[in-house]
Amino acid sequence: RKHRGVGETLLVVEDELSLHLLLERMLKKMGYNFFVTAKAEEAIEMVSLKKISPDLLITDMIMPTMSGKDLAENINAIKPEIKVLYMSGYTDEAIMRQGALEKDAFFIQKPFRSHDLAEKIQEVLSYAP
């Protein structure tokens, strides 16, 4: 079955332009409201200035100015109920070994197919601790 957005807003932070554009295409097809930025600082500013109120942050783990984990902590301080999906070209085991991710963090490994991303987004959005 197709996973479709029902009005949720996603904030995507990805510094690699080719993936940035690919994610925009994927999310548009899935029907989500979304904002994609290459800069962690811009993402924080968008949320802190209440320009957007995302339900889900999808962030690359390793970016030039700030780690995905630090970005998530910054946004979580402004919007505690936000859910987070991390993505990386590294395996989640490698990232956990570096202490960059908690065991229960949601993670998707790059490269991924649109279907896998759609499934993972639904899993994260429907998660209730």
Side-chain angles (χ1 to χ4, degrees), residues 42-97:
E42 184 181 24
I44 294 166
E45 193 175 283
M46 288 166 83
V47 177
S48 68
L49 296 177
K50 307 268 189 274
K51 288 183 180 169
I52 63 168
S53 181
D55 301 291
L56 174 64
L57 168 66
I58 302 176
T59 180
D60 194 8
M61 281 300 302
I62 296 150
M63 296 179 288
T65 58
M66 187 182 297
S67 74
K69 187 179 180 190
D70 288 344
L71 170 62
E73 285 170 4
N74 271 279
I75 289 184
N76 190 263
I78 306 163
K79 191 172 194 275
E81 70 280 12
I82 195 164
K83 294 178 176 179
V84 182
L85 172 59
Y86 295 101
M87 54 186 175
S88 177
Y90 299 96
T91 65
D92 53 350
E93 288 86 24
I95 289 171
M96 279 180 204
R97 266 202 307 277

Side-chain angles (χ1 to χ4, degrees), residues 4-123:
R4 305 269 319 153
V6 287
E8 301 96 339
T9 299
L10 314 184
L11 174 56
V12 183
V13 185
E14 170 55 61
D15 60 302
E16 193 184 309
L17 185 61
S18 60
L19 191 53
H20 189 125
L21 298 170
L22 178 65
L23 284 162
E24 284 185 349
R25 281 201 309 272
M26 286 178 172
L27 295 172
K28 195 172 278 174
K29 281 189 183 132
M30 291 175 207
Y32 289 105
N33 300 319
F34 63 89
F35 298 87
V36 183
T37 177
K39 296 186 178 81
E41 297 78 8
E42 184 181 24
I44 294 166
E45 193 175 283
M46 288 166 83
V47 177
S48 68
L49 296 177
K50 307 268 189 274
K51 288 183 180 169
I52 63 168
S53 181
D55 301 291
L56 174 64
L57 168 66
I58 302 176
T59 180
D60 194 8
M61 281 300 302
I62 296 150
M63 296 179 288
T65 58
M66 187 182 297
S67 74
K69 187 179 180 190
D70 288 344
L71 170 62
E73 285 170 4
N74 271 279
I75 289 184
N76 190 263
I78 306 163
K79 191 172 194 275
E81 70 280 12
I82 195 164
K83 294 178 176 179
V84 182
L85 172 59
Y86 295 101
M87 54 186 175
S88 177
Y90 299 96
T91 65
D92 53 350
E93 288 86 24
I95 289 171
M96 279 180 204
R97 266 202 307 277
Q98 293 170 8
L101 265 189
E102 300 82 29
K103 279 224 179 317
D104 59 352
F106 288 103
F107 177 85
I108 189 165
Q109 189 172 348
K110 299 173 189 176
F112 44 75
R113 298 190 330 262
S114 182
H115 172 78
D116 298 326
L117 178 62
E119 245 175 35
K120 188 58 90 167
I121 288 171
Q122 281 298 311
E123 179 189 341

